[in-house]
mmCIF file with all atom_site columns, all heavy atoms in Angstrom:
data_model
loop_
_atom_site.group_PDB
_atom_site.id
_atom_site.type_symbol
_atom_site.label_atom_id
_atom_site.label_alt_id
_atom_site.label_comp_id
_atom_site.label_asym_id
_atom_site.label_entity_id
_atom_site.label_seq_id
_atom_site.pdbx_PDB_ins_code
_atom_site.Cartn_x
_atom_site.Cartn_y
_atom_site.Cartn_z
_atom_site.occupancy
_atom_site.B_iso_or_equiv
_atom_site.pdbx_formal_charge
_atom_site.auth_seq_id
_atom_site.auth_comp_id
_atom_site.auth_asym_id
_atom_site.auth_atom_id
_atom_site.pdbx_PDB_model_num
ATOM 1   N N   . LYS A 1 19 ? -105.314 34.443 -5.249  1.00 0.00 ? 19 LYS A N   1
ATOM 2   C CA  . LYS A 1 19 ? -104.884 33.033 -5.232  1.00 0.00 ? 19 LYS A CA  1
ATOM 3   C C   . LYS A 1 19 ? -103.465 32.811 -5.402  1.00 0.00 ? 19 LYS A C   1
ATOM 4   O O   . LYS A 1 19 ? -102.881 31.916 -4.713  1.00 0.00 ? 19 LYS A O   1
ATOM 5   C CB  . LYS A 1 19 ? -105.727 32.360 -6.447  1.00 0.00 ? 19 LYS A CB  1
ATOM 6   C CG  . LYS A 1 19 ? -107.197 32.218 -6.308  1.00 0.00 ? 19 LYS A CG  1
ATOM 7   C CD  . LYS A 1 19 ? -107.813 31.596 -7.441  1.00 0.00 ? 19 LYS A CD  1
ATOM 8   C CE  . LYS A 1 19 ? -109.287 31.483 -7.433  1.00 0.00 ? 19 LYS A CE  1
ATOM 9   N NZ  . LYS A 1 19 ? -109.897 30.736 -8.444  1.00 0.00 ? 19 LYS A NZ  1
ATOM 10  N N   . TYR A 1 20 ? -102.762 33.583 -6.156  1.00 0.00 ? 20 TYR A N   1
ATOM 11  C CA  . TYR A 1 20 ? -101.245 33.417 -6.313  1.00 0.00 ? 20 TYR A CA  1
ATOM 12  C C   . TYR A 1 20 ? -100.635 33.653 -5.000  1.00 0.00 ? 20 TYR A C   1
ATOM 13  O O   . TYR A 1 20 ? -99.545  33.121 -4.617  1.00 0.00 ? 20 TYR A O   1
ATOM 14  C CB  . TYR A 1 20 ? -100.692 34.494 -7.380  1.00 0.00 ? 20 TYR A CB  1
ATOM 15  C CG  . TYR A 1 20 ? -101.014 33.917 -8.822  1.00 0.00 ? 20 TYR A CG  1
ATOM 16  C CD1 . TYR A 1 20 ? -101.501 34.668 -9.790  1.00 0.00 ? 20 TYR A CD1 1
ATOM 17  C CD2 . TYR A 1 20 ? -100.639 32.513 -9.260  1.00 0.00 ? 20 TYR A CD2 1
ATOM 18  C CE1 . TYR A 1 20 ? -101.803 34.183 -11.122 1.00 0.00 ? 20 TYR A CE1 1
ATOM 19  C CE2 . TYR A 1 20 ? -100.860 32.030 -10.478 1.00 0.00 ? 20 TYR A CE2 1
ATOM 20  C CZ  . TYR A 1 20 ? -101.388 32.888 -11.405 1.00 0.00 ? 20 TYR A CZ  1
ATOM 21  O OH  . TYR A 1 20 ? -101.622 32.369 -12.580 1.00 0.00 ? 20 TYR A OH  1
ATOM 22  N N   . GLN A 1 21 ? -101.043 34.702 -4.240  1.00 0.00 ? 21 GLN A N   1
ATOM 23  C CA  . GLN A 1 21 ? -100.388 35.063 -2.941  1.00 0.00 ? 21 GLN A CA  1
ATOM 24  C C   . GLN A 1 21 ? -100.729 33.960 -2.107  1.00 0.00 ? 21 GLN A C   1
ATOM 25  O O   . GLN A 1 21 ? -99.818  33.595 -1.171  1.00 0.00 ? 21 GLN A O   1
ATOM 26  C CB  . GLN A 1 21 ? -101.067 36.358 -2.455  1.00 0.00 ? 21 GLN A CB  1
ATOM 27  C CG  . GLN A 1 21 ? -100.618 37.649 -3.192  1.00 0.00 ? 21 GLN A CG  1
ATOM 28  C CD  . GLN A 1 21 ? -101.156 38.883 -2.646  1.00 0.00 ? 21 GLN A CD  1
ATOM 29  O OE1 . GLN A 1 21 ? -101.795 38.965 -1.541  1.00 0.00 ? 21 GLN A OE1 1
ATOM 30  N NE2 . GLN A 1 21 ? -101.090 40.009 -3.351  1.00 0.00 ? 21 GLN A NE2 1
ATOM 31  N N   . TYR A 1 22 ? -101.862 33.396 -2.117  1.00 0.00 ? 22 TYR A N   1
ATOM 32  C CA  . TYR A 1 22 ? -102.309 32.294 -1.224  1.00 0.00 ? 22 TYR A CA  1
ATOM 33  C C   . TYR A 1 22 ? -101.304 31.141 -1.431  1.00 0.00 ? 22 TYR A C   1
ATOM 34  O O   . TYR A 1 22 ? -100.750 30.586 -0.429  1.00 0.00 ? 22 TYR A O   1
ATOM 35  C CB  . TYR A 1 22 ? -103.694 31.973 -1.441  1.00 0.00 ? 22 TYR A CB  1
ATOM 36  C CG  . TYR A 1 22 ? -104.281 30.792 -0.502  1.00 0.00 ? 22 TYR A CG  1
ATOM 37  C CD1 . TYR A 1 22 ? -104.758 31.112 0.672   1.00 0.00 ? 22 TYR A CD1 1
ATOM 38  C CD2 . TYR A 1 22 ? -104.226 29.533 -0.866  1.00 0.00 ? 22 TYR A CD2 1
ATOM 39  C CE1 . TYR A 1 22 ? -105.242 30.199 1.551   1.00 0.00 ? 22 TYR A CE1 1
ATOM 40  C CE2 . TYR A 1 22 ? -104.651 28.474 -0.057  1.00 0.00 ? 22 TYR A CE2 1
ATOM 41  C CZ  . TYR A 1 22 ? -105.155 28.842 1.136   1.00 0.00 ? 22 TYR A CZ  1
ATOM 42  O OH  . TYR A 1 22 ? -105.681 27.889 1.987   1.00 0.00 ? 22 TYR A OH  1
ATOM 43  N N   . ILE A 1 23 ? -101.201 30.796 -2.670  1.00 0.00 ? 23 ILE A N   1
ATOM 44  C CA  . ILE A 1 23 ? -100.300 29.670 -2.962  1.00 0.00 ? 23 ILE A CA  1
ATOM 45  C C   . ILE A 1 23 ? -98.887  29.948 -2.534  1.00 0.00 ? 23 ILE A C   1
ATOM 46  O O   . ILE A 1 23 ? -98.124  29.126 -2.122  1.00 0.00 ? 23 ILE A O   1
ATOM 47  C CB  . ILE A 1 23 ? -100.419 29.290 -4.531  1.00 0.00 ? 23 ILE A CB  1
ATOM 48  C CG1 . ILE A 1 23 ? -101.718 28.870 -4.852  1.00 0.00 ? 23 ILE A CG1 1
ATOM 49  C CG2 . ILE A 1 23 ? -99.338  28.329 -4.909  1.00 0.00 ? 23 ILE A CG2 1
ATOM 50  C CD1 . ILE A 1 23 ? -101.938 28.691 -6.422  1.00 0.00 ? 23 ILE A CD1 1
ATOM 51  N N   . SER A 1 24 ? -98.345  31.184 -2.791  1.00 0.00 ? 24 SER A N   1
ATOM 52  C CA  . SER A 1 24 ? -96.983  31.605 -2.453  1.00 0.00 ? 24 SER A CA  1
ATOM 53  C C   . SER A 1 24 ? -96.820  31.596 -0.893  1.00 0.00 ? 24 SER A C   1
ATOM 54  O O   . SER A 1 24 ? -95.793  31.025 -0.471  1.00 0.00 ? 24 SER A O   1
ATOM 55  C CB  . SER A 1 24 ? -96.691  33.085 -2.923  1.00 0.00 ? 24 SER A CB  1
ATOM 56  O OG  . SER A 1 24 ? -96.753  33.085 -4.399  1.00 0.00 ? 24 SER A OG  1
ATOM 57  N N   . ASP A 1 25 ? -97.693  32.065 -0.123  1.00 0.00 ? 25 ASP A N   1
ATOM 58  C CA  . ASP A 1 25 ? -97.634  31.993 1.241   1.00 0.00 ? 25 ASP A CA  1
ATOM 59  C C   . ASP A 1 25 ? -97.410  30.495 1.728   1.00 0.00 ? 25 ASP A C   1
ATOM 60  O O   . ASP A 1 25 ? -96.733  30.202 2.613   1.00 0.00 ? 25 ASP A O   1
ATOM 61  C CB  . ASP A 1 25 ? -98.767  32.680 1.972   1.00 0.00 ? 25 ASP A CB  1
ATOM 62  C CG  . ASP A 1 25 ? -98.624  34.179 1.915   1.00 0.00 ? 25 ASP A CG  1
ATOM 63  O OD1 . ASP A 1 25 ? -97.432  34.709 1.754   1.00 0.00 ? 25 ASP A OD1 1
ATOM 64  O OD2 . ASP A 1 25 ? -99.604  34.832 1.951   1.00 0.00 ? 25 ASP A OD2 1
ATOM 65  N N   . PHE A 1 26 ? -98.279  29.695 1.060   1.00 0.00 ? 26 PHE A N   1
ATOM 66  C CA  . PHE A 1 26 ? -98.190  28.265 1.535   1.00 0.00 ? 26 PHE A CA  1
ATOM 67  C C   . PHE A 1 26 ? -96.752  27.689 1.320   1.00 0.00 ? 26 PHE A C   1
ATOM 68  O O   . PHE A 1 26 ? -96.188  27.037 2.236   1.00 0.00 ? 26 PHE A O   1
ATOM 69  C CB  . PHE A 1 26 ? -99.294  27.435 0.695   1.00 0.00 ? 26 PHE A CB  1
ATOM 70  C CG  . PHE A 1 26 ? -99.232  26.014 1.017   1.00 0.00 ? 26 PHE A CG  1
ATOM 71  C CD1 . PHE A 1 26 ? -99.726  25.387 2.149   1.00 0.00 ? 26 PHE A CD1 1
ATOM 72  C CD2 . PHE A 1 26 ? -98.551  25.184 0.033   1.00 0.00 ? 26 PHE A CD2 1
ATOM 73  C CE1 . PHE A 1 26 ? -99.644  24.104 2.479   1.00 0.00 ? 26 PHE A CE1 1
ATOM 74  C CE2 . PHE A 1 26 ? -98.442  23.783 0.280   1.00 0.00 ? 26 PHE A CE2 1
ATOM 75  C CZ  . PHE A 1 26 ? -98.985  23.234 1.439   1.00 0.00 ? 26 PHE A CZ  1
ATOM 76  N N   . PHE A 1 27 ? -96.245  28.040 0.135   1.00 0.00 ? 27 PHE A N   1
ATOM 77  C CA  . PHE A 1 27 ? -94.818  27.361 -0.191  1.00 0.00 ? 27 PHE A CA  1
ATOM 78  C C   . PHE A 1 27 ? -93.838  28.113 0.680   1.00 0.00 ? 27 PHE A C   1
ATOM 79  O O   . PHE A 1 27 ? -92.788  27.405 1.086   1.00 0.00 ? 27 PHE A O   1
ATOM 80  C CB  . PHE A 1 27 ? -94.540  27.482 -1.583  1.00 0.00 ? 27 PHE A CB  1
ATOM 81  C CG  . PHE A 1 27 ? -95.268  26.483 -2.417  1.00 0.00 ? 27 PHE A CG  1
ATOM 82  C CD1 . PHE A 1 27 ? -96.318  26.822 -3.302  1.00 0.00 ? 27 PHE A CD1 1
ATOM 83  C CD2 . PHE A 1 27 ? -94.846  25.117 -2.439  1.00 0.00 ? 27 PHE A CD2 1
ATOM 84  C CE1 . PHE A 1 27 ? -96.956  25.814 -4.090  1.00 0.00 ? 27 PHE A CE1 1
ATOM 85  C CE2 . PHE A 1 27 ? -95.577  24.182 -3.195  1.00 0.00 ? 27 PHE A CE2 1
ATOM 86  C CZ  . PHE A 1 27 ? -96.561  24.487 -3.955  1.00 0.00 ? 27 PHE A CZ  1
ATOM 87  N N   . ILE A 1 28 ? -94.084  29.469 0.950   1.00 0.00 ? 28 ILE A N   1
ATOM 88  C CA  . ILE A 1 28 ? -93.159  30.099 1.867   1.00 0.00 ? 28 ILE A CA  1
ATOM 89  C C   . ILE A 1 28 ? -93.127  29.516 3.242   1.00 0.00 ? 28 ILE A C   1
ATOM 90  O O   . ILE A 1 28 ? -92.092  29.168 3.830   1.00 0.00 ? 28 ILE A O   1
ATOM 91  C CB  . ILE A 1 28 ? -93.405  31.539 1.908   1.00 0.00 ? 28 ILE A CB  1
ATOM 92  C CG1 . ILE A 1 28 ? -92.941  32.289 0.537   1.00 0.00 ? 28 ILE A CG1 1
ATOM 93  C CG2 . ILE A 1 28 ? -92.562  32.275 2.986   1.00 0.00 ? 28 ILE A CG2 1
ATOM 94  C CD1 . ILE A 1 28 ? -93.362  33.674 0.374   1.00 0.00 ? 28 ILE A CD1 1
ATOM 95  N N   . ALA A 1 29 ? -94.303  29.321 3.788   1.00 0.00 ? 29 ALA A N   1
ATOM 96  C CA  . ALA A 1 29 ? -94.502  28.605 5.065   1.00 0.00 ? 29 ALA A CA  1
ATOM 97  C C   . ALA A 1 29 ? -93.779  27.328 5.059   1.00 0.00 ? 29 ALA A C   1
ATOM 98  O O   . ALA A 1 29 ? -93.113  26.824 5.968   1.00 0.00 ? 29 ALA A O   1
ATOM 99  C CB  . ALA A 1 29 ? -95.883  28.593 5.422   1.00 0.00 ? 29 ALA A CB  1
ATOM 100 N N   . LEU A 1 30 ? -94.030  26.430 4.073   1.00 0.00 ? 30 LEU A N   1
ATOM 101 C CA  . LEU A 1 30 ? -93.425  25.143 3.937   1.00 0.00 ? 30 LEU A CA  1
ATOM 102 C C   . LEU A 1 30 ? -91.861  25.208 3.952   1.00 0.00 ? 30 LEU A C   1
ATOM 103 O O   . LEU A 1 30 ? -91.211  24.477 4.516   1.00 0.00 ? 30 LEU A O   1
ATOM 104 C CB  . LEU A 1 30 ? -93.956  24.557 2.630   1.00 0.00 ? 30 LEU A CB  1
ATOM 105 C CG  . LEU A 1 30 ? -93.443  23.002 2.443   1.00 0.00 ? 30 LEU A CG  1
ATOM 106 C CD1 . LEU A 1 30 ? -93.876  22.129 3.541   1.00 0.00 ? 30 LEU A CD1 1
ATOM 107 C CD2 . LEU A 1 30 ? -93.878  22.502 1.048   1.00 0.00 ? 30 LEU A CD2 1
ATOM 108 N N   . ALA A 1 31 ? -91.386  26.147 3.230   1.00 0.00 ? 31 ALA A N   1
ATOM 109 C CA  . ALA A 1 31 ? -89.927  26.384 3.138   1.00 0.00 ? 31 ALA A CA  1
ATOM 110 C C   . ALA A 1 31 ? -89.423  26.730 4.515   1.00 0.00 ? 31 ALA A C   1
ATOM 111 O O   . ALA A 1 31 ? -88.304  26.333 5.015   1.00 0.00 ? 31 ALA A O   1
ATOM 112 C CB  . ALA A 1 31 ? -89.493  27.415 2.085   1.00 0.00 ? 31 ALA A CB  1
ATOM 113 N N   . TYR A 1 32 ? -90.037  27.775 5.193   1.00 0.00 ? 32 TYR A N   1
ATOM 114 C CA  . TYR A 1 32 ? -89.632  28.258 6.408   1.00 0.00 ? 32 TYR A CA  1
ATOM 115 C C   . TYR A 1 32 ? -89.572  27.062 7.368   1.00 0.00 ? 32 TYR A C   1
ATOM 116 O O   . TYR A 1 32 ? -88.697  26.876 8.247   1.00 0.00 ? 32 TYR A O   1
ATOM 117 C CB  . TYR A 1 32 ? -90.499  29.345 6.957   1.00 0.00 ? 32 TYR A CB  1
ATOM 118 C CG  . TYR A 1 32 ? -89.996  30.660 6.483   1.00 0.00 ? 32 TYR A CG  1
ATOM 119 C CD1 . TYR A 1 32 ? -90.991  31.634 5.899   1.00 0.00 ? 32 TYR A CD1 1
ATOM 120 C CD2 . TYR A 1 32 ? -88.798  31.097 6.514   1.00 0.00 ? 32 TYR A CD2 1
ATOM 121 C CE1 . TYR A 1 32 ? -90.731  32.835 5.478   1.00 0.00 ? 32 TYR A CE1 1
ATOM 122 C CE2 . TYR A 1 32 ? -88.445  32.298 6.077   1.00 0.00 ? 32 TYR A CE2 1
ATOM 123 C CZ  . TYR A 1 32 ? -89.291  33.277 5.577   1.00 0.00 ? 32 TYR A CZ  1
ATOM 124 O OH  . TYR A 1 32 ? -88.965  34.529 5.157   1.00 0.00 ? 32 TYR A OH  1
ATOM 125 N N   . PHE A 1 33 ? -90.623  26.194 7.395   1.00 0.00 ? 33 PHE A N   1
ATOM 126 C CA  . PHE A 1 33 ? -90.685  25.121 8.313   1.00 0.00 ? 33 PHE A CA  1
ATOM 127 C C   . PHE A 1 33 ? -89.603  24.033 8.013   1.00 0.00 ? 33 PHE A C   1
ATOM 128 O O   . PHE A 1 33 ? -89.223  23.349 8.948   1.00 0.00 ? 33 PHE A O   1
ATOM 129 C CB  . PHE A 1 33 ? -92.069  24.463 8.428   1.00 0.00 ? 33 PHE A CB  1
ATOM 130 C CG  . PHE A 1 33 ? -93.093  25.291 9.100   1.00 0.00 ? 33 PHE A CG  1
ATOM 131 C CD1 . PHE A 1 33 ? -94.150  25.839 8.497   1.00 0.00 ? 33 PHE A CD1 1
ATOM 132 C CD2 . PHE A 1 33 ? -92.922  25.611 10.556  1.00 0.00 ? 33 PHE A CD2 1
ATOM 133 C CE1 . PHE A 1 33 ? -95.037  26.572 9.161   1.00 0.00 ? 33 PHE A CE1 1
ATOM 134 C CE2 . PHE A 1 33 ? -93.781  26.408 11.277  1.00 0.00 ? 33 PHE A CE2 1
ATOM 135 C CZ  . PHE A 1 33 ? -94.968  26.892 10.603  1.00 0.00 ? 33 PHE A CZ  1
ATOM 136 N N   . SER A 1 34 ? -89.210  23.890 6.709   1.00 0.00 ? 34 SER A N   1
ATOM 137 C CA  . SER A 1 34 ? -88.187  22.862 6.504   1.00 0.00 ? 34 SER A CA  1
ATOM 138 C C   . SER A 1 34 ? -86.762  23.326 6.853   1.00 0.00 ? 34 SER A C   1
ATOM 139 O O   . SER A 1 34 ? -85.912  22.480 7.208   1.00 0.00 ? 34 SER A O   1
ATOM 140 C CB  . SER A 1 34 ? -88.186  22.655 4.943   1.00 0.00 ? 34 SER A CB  1
ATOM 141 O OG  . SER A 1 34 ? -87.790  23.901 4.272   1.00 0.00 ? 34 SER A OG  1
ATOM 142 N N   . ILE A 1 35 ? -86.483  24.605 6.799   1.00 0.00 ? 35 ILE A N   1
ATOM 143 C CA  . ILE A 1 35 ? -85.120  25.056 7.184   1.00 0.00 ? 35 ILE A CA  1
ATOM 144 C C   . ILE A 1 35 ? -84.839  24.799 8.689   1.00 0.00 ? 35 ILE A C   1
ATOM 145 O O   . ILE A 1 35 ? -83.691  24.267 8.937   1.00 0.00 ? 35 ILE A O   1
ATOM 146 C CB  . ILE A 1 35 ? -85.042  26.624 6.820   1.00 0.00 ? 35 ILE A CB  1
ATOM 147 C CG1 . ILE A 1 35 ? -85.077  26.867 5.317   1.00 0.00 ? 35 ILE A CG1 1
ATOM 148 C CG2 . ILE A 1 35 ? -83.794  27.221 7.566   1.00 0.00 ? 35 ILE A CG2 1
ATOM 149 C CD1 . ILE A 1 35 ? -85.064  28.322 5.014   1.00 0.00 ? 35 ILE A CD1 1
ATOM 150 N N   . PRO A 1 36 ? -85.688  25.026 9.509   1.00 0.00 ? 36 PRO A N   1
ATOM 151 C CA  . PRO A 1 36 ? -85.364  24.577 10.964  1.00 0.00 ? 36 PRO A CA  1
ATOM 152 C C   . PRO A 1 36 ? -85.067  23.181 11.192  1.00 0.00 ? 36 PRO A C   1
ATOM 153 O O   . PRO A 1 36 ? -84.131  22.726 11.908  1.00 0.00 ? 36 PRO A O   1
ATOM 154 C CB  . PRO A 1 36 ? -86.587  24.977 11.798  1.00 0.00 ? 36 PRO A CB  1
ATOM 155 C CG  . PRO A 1 36 ? -87.242  26.035 11.005  1.00 0.00 ? 36 PRO A CG  1
ATOM 156 C CD  . PRO A 1 36 ? -86.982  25.733 9.514   1.00 0.00 ? 36 PRO A CD  1
ATOM 157 N N   . LEU A 1 37 ? -85.730  22.339 10.322  1.00 0.00 ? 37 LEU A N   1
ATOM 158 C CA  . LEU A 1 37 ? -85.433  20.920 10.499  1.00 0.00 ? 37 LEU A CA  1
ATOM 159 C C   . LEU A 1 37 ? -84.011  20.588 10.005  1.00 0.00 ? 37 LEU A C   1
ATOM 160 O O   . LEU A 1 37 ? -83.258  19.831 10.593  1.00 0.00 ? 37 LEU A O   1
ATOM 161 C CB  . LEU A 1 37 ? -86.424  20.085 9.568   1.00 0.00 ? 37 LEU A CB  1
ATOM 162 C CG  . LEU A 1 37 ? -87.877  20.125 10.008  1.00 0.00 ? 37 LEU A CG  1
ATOM 163 C CD1 . LEU A 1 37 ? -88.793  19.422 9.066   1.00 0.00 ? 37 LEU A CD1 1
ATOM 164 C CD2 . LEU A 1 37 ? -88.075  19.535 11.511  1.00 0.00 ? 37 LEU A CD2 1
ATOM 165 N N   . GLU A 1 38 ? -83.602  21.317 8.980   1.00 0.00 ? 38 GLU A N   1
ATOM 166 C CA  . GLU A 1 38 ? -82.335  21.163 8.413   1.00 0.00 ? 38 GLU A CA  1
ATOM 167 C C   . GLU A 1 38 ? -81.209  21.668 9.491   1.00 0.00 ? 38 GLU A C   1
ATOM 168 O O   . GLU A 1 38 ? -80.203  21.081 9.695   1.00 0.00 ? 38 GLU A O   1
ATOM 169 C CB  . GLU A 1 38 ? -82.083  21.827 7.172   1.00 0.00 ? 38 GLU A CB  1
ATOM 170 C CG  . GLU A 1 38 ? -82.960  21.172 6.022   1.00 0.00 ? 38 GLU A CG  1
ATOM 171 C CD  . GLU A 1 38 ? -82.870  22.104 4.800   1.00 0.00 ? 38 GLU A CD  1
ATOM 172 O OE1 . GLU A 1 38 ? -82.240  23.160 4.758   1.00 0.00 ? 38 GLU A OE1 1
ATOM 173 O OE2 . GLU A 1 38 ? -83.447  21.647 3.774   1.00 0.00 ? 38 GLU A OE2 1
ATOM 174 N N   . LEU A 1 39 ? -81.541  22.859 10.099  1.00 0.00 ? 39 LEU A N   1
ATOM 175 C CA  . LEU A 1 39 ? -80.604  23.449 11.107  1.00 0.00 ? 39 LEU A CA  1
ATOM 176 C C   . LEU A 1 39 ? -80.654  22.476 12.326  1.00 0.00 ? 39 LEU A C   1
ATOM 177 O O   . LEU A 1 39 ? -79.470  22.298 13.056  1.00 0.00 ? 39 LEU A O   1
ATOM 178 C CB  . LEU A 1 39 ? -81.177  24.816 11.651  1.00 0.00 ? 39 LEU A CB  1
ATOM 179 C CG  . LEU A 1 39 ? -81.053  25.935 10.514  1.00 0.00 ? 39 LEU A CG  1
ATOM 180 C CD1 . LEU A 1 39 ? -81.673  27.192 11.089  1.00 0.00 ? 39 LEU A CD1 1
ATOM 181 C CD2 . LEU A 1 39 ? -79.518  26.123 10.152  1.00 0.00 ? 39 LEU A CD2 1
ATOM 182 N N   . ILE A 1 40 ? -81.639  21.855 12.705  1.00 0.00 ? 40 ILE A N   1
ATOM 183 C CA  . ILE A 1 40 ? -81.667  20.865 13.856  1.00 0.00 ? 40 ILE A CA  1
ATOM 184 C C   . ILE A 1 40 ? -80.735  19.728 13.530  1.00 0.00 ? 40 ILE A C   1
ATOM 185 O O   . ILE A 1 40 ? -79.958  19.243 14.305  1.00 0.00 ? 40 ILE A O   1
ATOM 186 C CB  . ILE A 1 40 ? -83.096  20.428 14.087  1.00 0.00 ? 40 ILE A CB  1
ATOM 187 C CG1 . ILE A 1 40 ? -83.907  21.589 14.773  1.00 0.00 ? 40 ILE A CG1 1
ATOM 188 C CG2 . ILE A 1 40 ? -83.006  19.284 15.141  1.00 0.00 ? 40 ILE A CG2 1
ATOM 189 C CD1 . ILE A 1 40 ? -85.327  21.363 15.001  1.00 0.00 ? 40 ILE A CD1 1
#
Side-chain angles (χ1 to χ4, degrees):
K19 287 182 180 181
Y20 284 128
Q21 291 182 10
Y22 183 86
I23 295 172
S24 298
D25 283 337
F26 174 77
F27 283 107
I28 290 173
L30 182 61
Y32 275 133
F33 284 118
S34 65
I35 290 175
L37 295 176
E38 295 173 357
L39 290 176
I40 291 172

